[in-house]
């Protein structure tokens, strides 16, 4: 074993690796006698211990430590420390920043103002943005390398602000160590470059290498600049944009590949497509390209790429699509079909059952109609992505209908709250008057305004390559999720708690009449059902992240596709008045059918009855015969 083993007391037949080591099978406990415990390199991804500025991580067998880079030392004088909170690395030569360090900081601050200039990036077209970005990237590299070469005494320099982070290293010797590789860090990203590719044949004078990370440049040079963009598999930038360059010879070719390690902006991506790309400068401006960039490894937190040349780099990933699961598709279709049937029955009940005709039933009716139309449109047109204009219209209609459903849910919660508040007072007229005035302007007007603003601002984001729904990029999906989260918090957290508190208060202050207790129980049941139907089902969709995303996807699909069934169950089948009406309708149908059968039988047996009177045979005997 490359690392020692510990034999825990319970059970005695299992083994585990010492801290700082991991088994070859990745298991914490194992029984295989030839299992090997390997050292964990805490300085490399996916762990990548953060040690702070002017310091670096040093791995040792079974552990690690941090130390200051050359030219810096700890205030305590110690040679090493354990974590970033103990980092007191300061320059050894002087308490004031060196001239080169100050110059490098000024360069970084100058380009910060350019990168954060909204006017510069917001007024031009795509080609102009690409040209401006290419120019800035090249200028930053040149200025940073020139500053590093003007201060050869400072072997390593690190500066950063909120937008740009830079690390430079100056090489003055002739790469005395064979196979010497430099690792430069910047904002949790790193590059490994061979020393011989920095000095490039030992030119006269020192050589320098620079590694630069841009915090916000990825929002400008996004995935739309990728030359191989595929509408069926939309991509997004999941790393910072970084640049690696050497001087004084600005060569792009290398004798050995450089290794770039990126920390993901969005952790735990389950995308099956990951691309290592570089910024290729062209006459038209530039775009992301994969030429010479190879994917070496990807996990939940980092991506490692190899490149045969130096440039600016990033990582592109495909959006995760769980809709390709055929089981989810079947569950959706079956669940929505059941919901459509139940919603049709619920709508007919609300329209025809006179015993329950009131403001509450009107709200149930509008909610059911919106969900009915939304589910029907979803089943028939969600996959109709061609033509694009029709797909955008379908996406807009679904956006409106689902928002309208949530708005009617909000009105349901408001009415329930007002009803509970006025339970002890005969004041239902004011509640009904308020709801009659509010319901249609709010129920259909508010979602219309939201959809109109969204469509007017970014109409091209309606419809995705795979589905007629809202695109996820540029935060456009919040045109739906924002109102949904607000309504959920109001309805489910405010109204629900308020209703239960009011019901408890009213019940304790009233005489315990049977009717009051029944009303209280019914309102409590509706409040609890509303908590489940109107919010909890949609929360499962928001929780589709992390390791449990697949489980949450199935729960969301099953429960949410059966909303129509839940509405029919709560507001129809569990209502005493509705059940009585169903019995009455069934009884009427049975009587009508019975009368029809008797009429048919009498018409068929009429002549036989007359004959029986003549021959003295009873009707019963005639029927028996």
């Amino acid at each position: 074993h490359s690392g020692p083993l510990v034999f825990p007391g319970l059970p005695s037949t299992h083994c585990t690796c010492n801290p700082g080591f991991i088994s070859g099978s990745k298991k914490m406990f194992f029984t295989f006698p030839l299992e090997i415990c390997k050292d964990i390199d805490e300085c490399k991804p996916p762990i990548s211990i953060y040690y702070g500025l002017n310091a670096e991580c040093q791995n040792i067998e079974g552990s690690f430590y941090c130390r200051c880079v050359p030219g810096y030392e700890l205030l305590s004088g110690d040679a090493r420390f354990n974590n970033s909170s103990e980092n007191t690395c300061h320059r050894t030569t002087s308490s004031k920043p060196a001239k080169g360090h100050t110059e490098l900081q000024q360069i970084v601050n100058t380009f910060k103002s350019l990168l954060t200039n909204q006017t510069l990036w917001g007024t031009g077209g795509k080609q102009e943005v690409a040209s401006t970005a290419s120019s800035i990237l090249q200028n930053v590299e040149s200025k940073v390398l020139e500053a590093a070469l003007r201060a050869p005494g400072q072997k390593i320099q690190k500066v950063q602000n909120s937008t740009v982070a830079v690390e430079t290293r100056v090489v003055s010797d002739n790469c005395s160590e064979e196979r010497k590789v430099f690792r430069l860090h910047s904002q949790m990203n790193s590059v490994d470059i061979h020393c011989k590719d920095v000095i490039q044949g030992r030119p006269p004078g020192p050589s320098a290498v620079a590694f630069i990370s841009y915090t916000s440049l990825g929002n400008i040079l996004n995935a739309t600049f990728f030359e191989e963009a595929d509408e069926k598999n939309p991509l997004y930038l999941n790393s910072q944009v970084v640049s690696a360059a050497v001087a004084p010879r600005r060569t792009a070719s290398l004798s050995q590949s450089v290794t770039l390690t990126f920390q993901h902006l969005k952790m735990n991506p389950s995308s099956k497509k990951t691309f290592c790309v570089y910024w290729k400068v062209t006459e038209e401006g530039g775009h992301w390209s994969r030429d010479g960039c190879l994917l070496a490894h990807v996990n939940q937190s980092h991506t490692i790429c190899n490149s045969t040349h130096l440039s600016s780099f990033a990582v592109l990933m495909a959006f995760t699509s769980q809709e390709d699961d055929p089981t989810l598709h079947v569950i959706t279709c079956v669940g929505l079909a059941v919901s459509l049937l139940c919603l049709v029955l619920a709508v007919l009940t609300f329209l025809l059952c006179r015993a329950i005709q009131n403001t509450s039933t009107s709200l149930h009716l509008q909610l059911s109609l919106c969900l009915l139309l939304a589910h029907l449109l979803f089943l028939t047109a969600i996959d109709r992505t061609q033509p694009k204009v029709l797909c955008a219209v379908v996406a807009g209609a679904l956006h409106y209908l689902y928002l309208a459903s949530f708005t009617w849910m909000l009105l349901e919660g408001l009415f329930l709250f007002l009803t509970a508040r006025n339970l002890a007072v005969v004041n239902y007229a004011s509640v009904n008057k308020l709801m009659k005035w509010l319901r249609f302007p709010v129920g259909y007007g508010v979602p219309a305004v939201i959809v109109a603003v969204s469509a007017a601002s970014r109409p091209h984001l309606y419809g995705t390559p795979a589905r007629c729904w809202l695109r996820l990029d540029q935060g456009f999906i919040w045109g739906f999720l924002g109102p949904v989260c607000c309504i959920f918090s109001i309805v489910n957290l405010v109204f629900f708690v308020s209703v239960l508190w009011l019901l408890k208060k009213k019940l304790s202050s009233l005489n315990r009449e049977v009717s009051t207790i029944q009303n209280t129980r019914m309102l409590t049941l509706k409040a609890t059902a509303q908590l489940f139907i109107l919010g909890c089902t949609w929360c499962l969709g928001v929780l589709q992240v992390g390791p449990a995303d697949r489980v949450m996807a199935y729960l969301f699909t099953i429960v949410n596709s059966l909303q129509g069934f839940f509405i029919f169950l709560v507001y129809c089948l569990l209502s005493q008045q509705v059940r009585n009406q169903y019995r009455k309708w069934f009884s009427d149908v049975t009587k009508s059918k019975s009368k029809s059968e008797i009429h048919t039988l009498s018409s068929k047996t009429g002549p036989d009855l007359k004959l029986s009177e003549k021959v003295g045979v009873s009707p019963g005997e005639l029927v028996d015969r």
Side-chain angles (χ1 to χ4, degrees):
H1 299 275
S2 61
L5 295 176
V6 173
F7 296 86
L10 292 176
S12 60
T13 57
H14 286 70
C15 304
T16 185
C17 295
N18 271 340
F21 295 87
I22 187 172
S23 66
S25 62
K26 310 297 183 184
K27 295 180 180 179
M28 180 176 292
F29 300 104
F30 50 88
T31 57
F32 184 55
L34 299 180
E35 185 71 80
I36 296 176
C37 291
K38 301 178 180 179
D39 174 53
I40 299 174
D41 191 345
E42 293 86 354
C43 300
K44 292 183 179 181
I47 301 177
S48 296
I49 296 294
Y50 180 67
Y51 34 80
L53 290 175
N54 306 316
E56 59 186 4
C57 178
Q58 182 66 43
N59 183 66
I60 57 177
E61 187 174 5
S63 185
F64 72 96
Y65 65 88
C66 305
R67 64 184 180 185
C68 300
V69 298
Y72 292 81
E73 67 179 6
L74 294 171
L75 291 175
S76 62
D78 295 337
R80 61 179 66 179
F81 56 97
N82 295 324
N83 54 64
S84 59
S85 63
E86 301 173 4
N87 183 355
T88 58
C89 295
H90 68 290
R91 190 173 297 278
T92 56
T93 56
S94 173
S95 60
K96 296 182 179 180
K99 180 179 179 182
H101 187 274
T102 303
E103 182 182 0
L104 195 59
Q105 186 68 58
Q106 290 176 347
I107 293 172
V108 169
N109 293 339
T110 300
F111 283 101
K112 174 186 175 182
S113 61
L114 288 175
L115 294 171
T116 56
N117 189 339
Q118 298 297 326
T119 304
L120 177 65
W121 303 107
T123 56
K126 188 174 180 180
Q127 184 174 339
E128 186 177 346
V129 169
S131 299
T132 304
S134 298
S135 177
I136 289 178
L137 288 171
Q138 292 173 344
N139 285 333
V140 171
E141 292 176 9
S142 299
K143 298 294 184 182
V144 166
L145 288 169
E146 289 171 5
L149 290 173
R150 280 196 289 268
Q154 300 180 60
K155 297 294 184 182
I156 299 176
Q157 295 189 64
K158 288 187 176 184
V159 296
Q160 69 177 23
N161 55 35
S162 60
T163 305
V164 185
V166 175
E167 179 177 348
T168 62
R169 183 183 291 263
V170 177
V171 182
S172 300
D173 59 14
N174 194 21
C175 295
S176 54
E177 297 181 25
E178 192 69 21
R179 299 181 180 178
K180 185 175 183 179
V181 176
F182 296 124
R183 169 170 289 186
L184 284 75
H185 295 267
S186 184
Q187 292 184 342
M188 305 305 291
N189 306 304
S190 67
V191 62
D192 295 339
I193 184 171
H194 199 277
C195 180
K196 290 185 177 180
D197 286 319
V198 178
I199 65 173
Q200 303 173 60
R202 190 65 178 120
S207 301
V209 56
F211 186 57
I212 309 163
S213 291
Y214 301 90
T215 304
S216 58
L217 189 58
N219 297 329
I220 302 169
L221 301 181
N222 52 41
T224 61
F225 288 90
F226 185 42
E227 63 175 357
E228 301 176 30
D230 183 2
E231 289 188 351
K232 293 184 178 180
N233 297 289
L235 304 173
Y236 67 99
L237 207 68
N238 200 26
S239 73
Q240 294 177 344
V241 177
V242 302
S243 296
V246 295
R249 295 182 181 178
R250 300 295 301 278
T251 179
S253 60
L254 301 170
S255 61
Q256 297 186 31
S257 297
V258 295
T259 300
L260 298 143
T261 303
F262 298 87
Q263 186 179 55
H264 296 159
L265 300 179
K266 295 181 180 179
M267 297 298 178
N268 303 319
S270 53
S271 173
K272 296 181 180 179
K273 290 189 176 182
T274 302
F275 301 101
C276 298
V277 295
Y278 84 100
W279 185 253
K280 184 176 182 179
V281 179
T282 62
E283 294 181 357
E284 293 77 19
H287 59 260
W288 293 115
S289 173
R290 291 198 294 166
D291 296 341
C293 295
L294 301 175
L295 176 65
H297 177 72
V298 60
N299 59 23
Q300 294 182 339
S301 60
H302 290 79
T303 293
I304 300 176
C305 304
N306 292 327
S307 176
T308 58
H309 53 80
L310 298 179
S311 181
S312 297
F313 304 90
V315 173
L316 295 173
M317 287 188 173
F319 281 105
T320 302
S321 177
Q322 295 176 336
E323 297 169 329
D324 295 331
D325 191 334
T327 306
L328 283 178
H329 179 71
V330 172
I331 293 173
T332 300
C333 292
V334 173
L336 288 181
V338 173
S339 275
L340 285 174
L341 176 60
C342 292
L343 286 170
V344 170
L345 295 175
V347 168
L348 292 175
T349 301
F350 298 146
L351 287 173
L352 302 177
C353 186
R354 294 183 179 180
I356 60 171
Q357 294 295 323
N358 52 37
T359 303
S360 178
T361 303
S362 177
L363 296 175
H364 302 337
L365 175 62
Q366 302 305 322
L367 169 61
S368 300
L369 285 173
C370 290
L371 278 178
L372 176 64
L373 294 175
H375 288 348
L376 186 62
L377 187 61
F378 186 96
L379 269 180
T380 57
I382 190 65
D383 297 326
R384 310 283 183 176
T385 56
Q386 296 296 333
K388 291 185 178 180
V389 175
L390 180 60
C391 182
V393 172
V394 171
L398 285 173
H399 188 194
Y400 174 76
L401 288 171
Y402 279 120
L403 279 182
S405 300
F406 273 98
T407 309
W408 285 105
M409 292 174 184
L410 175 63
L411 292 173
E412 290 256 15
L414 176 61
F415 180 76
L416 190 60
F417 168 75
L418 294 175
T419 303
R421 191 190 66 174
N422 297 317
L423 186 62
V425 183
V426 184
N427 193 28
Y428 294 106
S430 61
V431 176
N432 291 334
K433 184 177 180 181
L434 175 64
M435 295 308 298
K436 287 180 180 179
W437 183 81
L438 276 178
R439 54 185 178 180
F440 287 106
V442 174
Y444 290 115
V446 171
V449 172
I450 295 175
V451 173
V453 171
S454 301
S457 60
R458 284 174 286 185
H460 60 286
L461 295 181
Y462 275 104
T464 71
R467 297 288 185 269
C468 296
W469 183 234
L470 282 64
R471 287 183 177 268
L472 300 178
D473 48 334
Q474 302 182 35
F476 190 64
I477 190 64
W478 285 102
F480 174 73
L481 291 181
V484 168
C485 292
C486 291
I487 292 174
F488 169 70
S489 61
I490 294 173
V491 172
N492 293 74
L493 300 182
V494 179
F495 285 165
F496 176 70
V497 175
S498 300
V499 165
L500 294 183
W501 179 78
L502 286 171
L503 291 176
K504 181 180 178 182
K505 181 179 178 183
K506 295 298 182 183
L507 187 59
S508 62
S509 62
L510 290 171
N511 294 327
R512 296 181 177 273
E513 299 176 358
V514 175
S515 61
T516 301
I517 294 175
Q518 288 178 344
N519 289 337
T520 303
R521 288 177 176 174
M522 183 56 63
L523 286 173
T524 306
L525 174 63
K526 287 186 176 181
T528 306
Q530 205 146 285
L531 173 68
F532 181 74
I533 297 173
L534 310 186
C536 291
T537 56
W538 292 91
C539 281
L540 295 173
V542 181
L543 295 175
Q544 293 182 42
V545 294
D549 60 341
R550 181 61 56 178
V551 176
M552 289 300 173
Y554 274 91
L555 287 175
F556 172 75
T557 304
I558 294 170
V559 177
N560 216 45
S561 62
L562 292 174
Q563 273 190 332
F565 169 75
F566 294 138
I567 289 176
F568 180 65
L569 175 66
V570 172
Y571 295 120
C572 295
L573 296 182
L574 296 181
S575 171
Q576 182 67 40
Q577 292 175 304
V578 174
R579 290 202 304 270
N580 291 338
Q581 185 65 53
Y582 285 164
R583 292 192 190 99
K584 183 179 178 181
W585 285 340
F586 181 76
S587 177
D588 292 342
V589 170
T590 304
K591 290 179 180 179
S592 175
K593 184 178 180 181
S594 177
K595 289 180 180 179
S596 176
E597 289 177 352
I598 292 174
H599 177 73
T600 303
L601 181 60
S602 63
S603 64
K604 289 182 178 180
T605 60
D608 294 330
L609 289 174
K610 293 179 180 179
L611 178 61
S612 67
E613 292 176 359
K614 294 181 179 180
V615 298
V617 181
S618 66
E621 292 174 341
L622 182 62
V623 172
D624 291 337
R625 294 176 185 179

